[in-house]
Amino acid sequence: MTFPIFEDFINEYKKYQKFLDSDSAKEVYDFLRKENNVFRLINSNTNGKNALFGVLPDLESDFQNRSDFDFNEGFVKQCVGSMVKFILGQFGYHTTVQRDMPKGTFIYFTSSMRYEYREGTENFKLVQKFEIVPIDNSVHHKGEL
């Protein structure tokens, strides 16, 4: 089983059909489904914040001013929220309540959903991998000269 692609999202949420040919909408979906961003969505939610809070600074800065997927439009913001819902649903997370974002924190998004994990409803799990990398010792020894 492969992770659902943008077209799978559109098939599930037919009301967003008009974005099927939008390169920007597809890019936003692909951004949200990246492993590190799924981690950020889940981690933010687990830490008592709205899930979208974890990726919103990058989402807003990387995808603003797109004529084919404009964050100033409420329908586009709803679509982004539905993308998050669709993606997190693959990992067993289900919406609970919509909450406001902290005032003045973000440009376009003022609220988003919180989620709860329901065991046995997931299709995928996120596996975190660690890597050991050397530290440049010249940074640690600068004051010793």
Side-chain angles (χ1 to χ4, degrees):
M1 176 191 287
T2 59
F3 196 83
I5 58 173
F6 179 67
E7 290 76 10
D8 298 323
F9 163 73
I10 295 295
N11 286 332
E12 180 83 15
Y13 290 84
K14 297 203 183 305
K15 71 179 187 176
Y16 301 117
Q17 191 80 33
K18 76 177 202 170
F19 298 125
L20 186 59
D21 295 325
S22 165
D23 290 339
S24 295
K26 183 179 184 324
E27 288 172 23
V28 167
Y29 180 84
D30 289 343
F31 167 84
L32 292 169
R33 70 178 287 245
K34 286 182 182 174
E35 291 92 345
N36 63 319
N37 290 330
V38 170
F39 172 79
R40 291 164 66 192
L41 290 165
I42 292 172
N43 192 48
S44 180
N45 188 73
T46 302
N47 288 318
K49 296 184 174 141
N50 300 12
L52 198 54
F53 188 91
V55 299
L56 215 39
D58 293 335
L59 180 71
E60 286 192 341
S61 67
D62 293 355
F63 299 101
Q64 65 181 337
N65 302 323
R66 302 285 182 104
S67 60
D68 63 332
F69 201 68
D70 186 352
F71 289 157
N72 287 304
E73 296 178 25
F75 191 66
V76 169
K77 290 186 272 193
Q78 289 173 9
C79 182
V80 171
S82 295
M83 288 177 184
V84 172
K85 179 180 179 180
F86 181 70
I87 291 166
L88 290 184
Q90 302 300 314
F91 296 93
Y93 287 86
H94 302 270
T95 58
T96 55
V97 65
Q98 184 162 334
R99 293 272 189 234
D100 288 342
M101 296 289 200
K103 296 264 185 256
T105 309
F106 303 108
I107 300 167
Y108 303 100
F109 293 82
T110 57
S111 68
S112 69
M113 294 300 294
R114 295 266 179 97
Y115 294 80
E116 69 178 9
Y117 174 72
R118 294 186 198 148
E119 191 172 339
T121 64
E122 62 278 316
N123 297 319
F124 295 88
K125 67 180 181 175
L126 190 63
V127 177
Q128 190 170 1
K129 297 177 183 175
F130 294 96
E131 181 180 358
I132 298 174
V133 296
I135 296 174
D136 180 1
N137 282 326
S138 64
V139 173
H140 292 292
H141 301 295
K142 280 185 178 175
E144 297 177 9
L145 297 176

